[in-house]
Structure formats: C-alpha cells, structure tokens
C-alpha cells in the first residue's frame, strides 16, 4: 500500500481523536482528561473508541481503577507526543497572531468592552477596532469581520444579526438656531436641504433650545437634520402625515453634529452620543415616548470569519442573559 492509499484508510481520524487519546494517556484517567478538554466523559470515551476502531487495534486497557497503554498505544503516543505541539505551531505560523476586526460607525456601545474582553480570554485572539462611515461599518467592503450597527438593518443586506441592547434617544438642539429666511450658504460642505427656515420653524427651534424635556410627537413640527449614511433616526419613524421635514442631510456623524450646531435644525441620536460627544453649540434634551434604538451585532449570513462566529455567539449569549 503506497502512502496515499495508507492515508485514505485513516480518513475518519480527526485532530480531536488524537488530542483525546493523548490527554487520557497523560492524565491516566478519562475523568481527568475530560475535565482538561472541557468535554463530557462519555464523549471522550466515544472519541477514543472511534480512534481504536479506525486503526483496528486496542490502544488502552481499561479497568475500574486505572487506564494502561497497550503496546500499540505506547508506540502511537511516543509518535504523537512531540508531533501535536509541532502541528499546532505550524497551523499558527501562516497567519501570526489571530485578530478580529470589529467595525462600528460613530461610537461603540459600552457593552462591547466586556464582550471584547470575554472574547479575547476565550480565544486568545486580539480585536482591532475599525471605524467606517458606511451603512454596514465596513462589512460590505471586507474591511470588518463583525460589526455593531444602530437602527434597523436592511433585510436584503445578507446579514445574520442579534440585538445586543436597546438605547434611549435624545434630541440634539442648537444653542443658536438660524434666523428665519437664512440661506444655505452657511451650511458646512456636503450638506443639502431647504433654502432656509420658515418663521414658524425658526421660532420653534428657539423655543426648544430652552426646553429640558421634549415629546417625540413635538419633533414633527421641527426641521430635522438627518445622517443618511450611518444615522438611526429618519422622518419615516414618525406616523405618515406627521413626519418632520428634512432641514439638511449629512454623510457621517461629524457632519451631522456640526449641522445641528450651526443651527440648521434639530437632530436625534442614541443617548450615549450625549454622554460622549459634547459640543459648545449643542444642548441635548431628554425625549419622552421616543422609540428606542436597537443596537445589532451583525456578520455575513454566509462564509463569516470563524472568529466573527465566536464573537457573535458570545454577544448573543450575553444579550439573552441580560448582561
């Protein structure tokens, strides 16, 4: 039998079979080896028996008190003991230290700090944060492996998602709204919108600049600054016929912030924005009856990175546990 045919005869043998056998030998106990491998003892027993069946020989003599190697088992262990560490090193060598790319847009939720620590402890891999001003935070361009997204995720995006948490919304109001009839010349580059504010809109903005609390329904009467790329609040969230008018649009979070501060309209964002992005030209106002912002963890529905799968599973577990 040539080498290729000999290898084909052992196609059923997997790395877990070899690791299980070596662990039992070194621990001299199925119970202790199962604890070391973090699997159940019956599963480990089946694994070793499957290896013996494929090889066609008994490797271990088992009694109620101890586990002893047969001659065949002794020879196999002598070959495997140095081979398995070399195999693990060879599999690590092509890629170096494993790294997961975690994408996000404006800011990362605080829960991701603990989630990242759990992931790194469980896998030994590192996490690199990737900020991208794109609807899917770099997932669509291959720059991210798994991403955090706020707001609703398009159903046709080809993603698998889980909700990490829900965040409250706040209103961002300009401290100095533009006067009625103001033109677009003062807008930051890249913004588009109305030629100016009506008398009623300018008066409404001046009034809310002094408020401490606003009702969600009141915003329908105010000009709205919308981040159309990565924002989580658009006029469609309000009932038909009672939707705010877009004052201007922005292509990323920083443009949105400056447009609100410049006085073009009111903005709406997740509450962490108010906690972490102060601006001298903006006041944040608490909102009543506003729908919460869903925060999703997302990865490709097909062919996701193995590390992304691990991170996603940990996130889904923590969300179900209410952490």
């Amino acid at each position: 039998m040539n080498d290729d045919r000999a290898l084909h005869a052992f196609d059923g043998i997997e790395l877990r079979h070899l690791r299980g056998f070596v662990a039992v030998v070194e621990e001299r106990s199925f119970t202790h080896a199962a604890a070391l491998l973090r699997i159940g003892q019956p599963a480990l027993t089946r694994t070793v028996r499957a290896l013996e069946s494929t090889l066609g020989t008994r490797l271990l003599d088992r009694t109620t008190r101890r586990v002893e190697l047969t001659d065949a088992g002794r020879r196999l262990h002598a070959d495997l003991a140095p081979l398995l560490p070399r195999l693990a090193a060879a599999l690590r060598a092509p890629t170096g230290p494993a790294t997961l790319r975690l994408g996000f847009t404006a800011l990362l939720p605080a829960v991701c700090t603990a989630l990242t620590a759990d992931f790194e402890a469980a896998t030994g891999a590192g996490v690199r944060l990737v900020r991208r001003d794109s609807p899917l935070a770099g997932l669509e361009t291959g720059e991210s492996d798994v991403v955090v997204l706020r707001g609703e995720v398009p159903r046709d995006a080809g993603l698998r998602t889980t909700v990490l948490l829900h965040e409250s919304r706040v209103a961002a109001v300009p401290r100095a709204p533009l006067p009625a009839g103001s033109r677009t010349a003062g807008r930051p580059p890249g913004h588009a919108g109305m030629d100016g504010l009506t008398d009623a809109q300018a008066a409404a903005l001046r009034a809310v600049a002094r408020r401490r609390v606003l009702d969600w329904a009141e915003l329908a009467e105010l000009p709205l600054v919308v981040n159309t790329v990565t924002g989580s609040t658009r006029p469609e969230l309000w009932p038909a016929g009672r939707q705010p008018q877009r004052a201007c649009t922005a292509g990323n979070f920083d443009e949105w912030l400056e447009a609100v501060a410049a006085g073009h309209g009111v903005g709406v964002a997740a509450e962490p924005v108010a906690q972490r992005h102060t601006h001298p030209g903006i006041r944040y106002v608490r909102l009543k009856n506003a729908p919460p912002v869903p925060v999703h963890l997302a990865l490709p529905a097909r062919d996701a990175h193995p590390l992304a799968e691990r991170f996603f599973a940990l996130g889904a577990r923590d969300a179900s546990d209410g952490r």
Side-chain angles (χ1 to χ4, degrees):
M1 182 182 294
N2 61 35
D3 289 345
D4 287 343
R5 292 178 61 189
L7 286 174
H8 284 312
F10 304 125
D11 277 349
I13 296 177
E14 301 175 9
L15 187 58
R16 62 186 178 89
H17 296 123
L18 304 180
R19 291 182 66 242
F21 167 69
V22 170
V24 171
V25 173
E26 295 180 351
E27 295 294 323
R28 296 289 177 174
S29 162
F30 277 84
T31 301
H32 294 162
L36 178 68
L37 296 174
R38 297 183 179 180
I39 62 175
Q41 184 176 331
L44 179 58
T45 300
R46 290 192 297 271
T47 297
V48 174
R49 284 177 178 166
L51 177 62
E52 291 177 323
S53 176
T54 303
L55 294 176
T57 187
R58 183 173 291 279
L59 302 173
L60 299 169
D61 284 328
R62 309 160 179 83
T63 69
T64 56
R65 294 180 178 272
R66 65 183 185 275
V67 176
E68 297 291 342
L69 282 166
T70 64
D71 288 341
R74 194 172 293 106
R75 288 193 298 272
L76 180 61
H77 180 259
D79 289 335
L80 287 178
L83 181 60
L84 289 181
R86 290 175 58 192
L87 177 59
L91 292 174
R92 287 194 299 266
T95 57
T99 302
L100 175 74
R101 298 169 301 170
L102 175 60
F104 66 105
T105 53
L107 70 168
L108 208 55
V111 296
C112 287
T113 301
L115 178 56
T116 297
D118 288 347
F119 169 81
E120 291 178 338
T123 64
V127 174
R128 181 163 66 88
L129 301 181
V130 178
R131 175 182 169 173
R132 291 294 180 268
D133 291 321
S134 65
L136 301 183
L139 201 60
E140 71 276 32
T141 59
E143 297 172 280
S144 303
D145 301 311
V146 62
V147 297
V148 176
L149 302 174
R150 284 182 170 83
E152 298 304 323
V153 179
R155 293 185 179 182
D156 60 354
L159 303 180
R160 183 149 43 98
T161 65
T162 186
V163 176
L164 285 177
L165 73 157
H166 288 86
E167 296 173 334
S168 299
R169 280 183 164 93
V170 295
V173 300
R175 293 185 183 274
L178 289 176
S182 58
R183 310 299 293 179
T184 57
R187 285 200 179 100
H191 290 267
M194 305 181 303
D195 285 340
L197 303 178
T198 66
D199 289 339
Q201 288 173 331
L205 277 178
R206 286 194 296 272
V208 299
R210 299 187 295 270
R211 295 274 294 277
R212 294 183 177 276
V213 181
L214 283 171
D215 191 274
W216 176 254
E218 292 182 78
L219 299 185
E221 306 298 329
L222 300 171
L224 187 67
V225 178
V226 180
N227 178 347
T228 58
V229 178
T230 60
S232 58
T233 304
R234 302 192 183 192
E236 292 75 20
L237 285 175
W238 282 263
R242 287 287 299 164
Q243 296 175 348
Q245 184 176 359
R246 297 185 190 217
C248 68
T249 60
N252 58 53
F253 173 79
D254 298 307
E255 288 181 1
W256 173 87
L257 199 69
E258 294 302 330
V260 174
H264 297 295
V266 64
V268 179
E271 191 171 31
V273 170
Q275 300 165 355
R276 295 159 61 179
H277 288 276
T278 58
H279 192 290
I282 289 176
R283 284 186 62 244
Y284 292 104
V285 179
R286 185 166 65 87
L287 280 176
K288 296 190 303 181
N289 303 315
V293 180
V295 182
H296 297 89
L297 195 61
L299 76 173
R302 298 178 58 186
D303 300 324
H305 193 291
L307 288 177
E309 294 280 9
R310 293 289 301 275
F311 194 90
F312 185 88
L314 287 172
R317 181 205 66 186
D318 288 355
S320 65
D321 290 344
R323 297 185 187 181

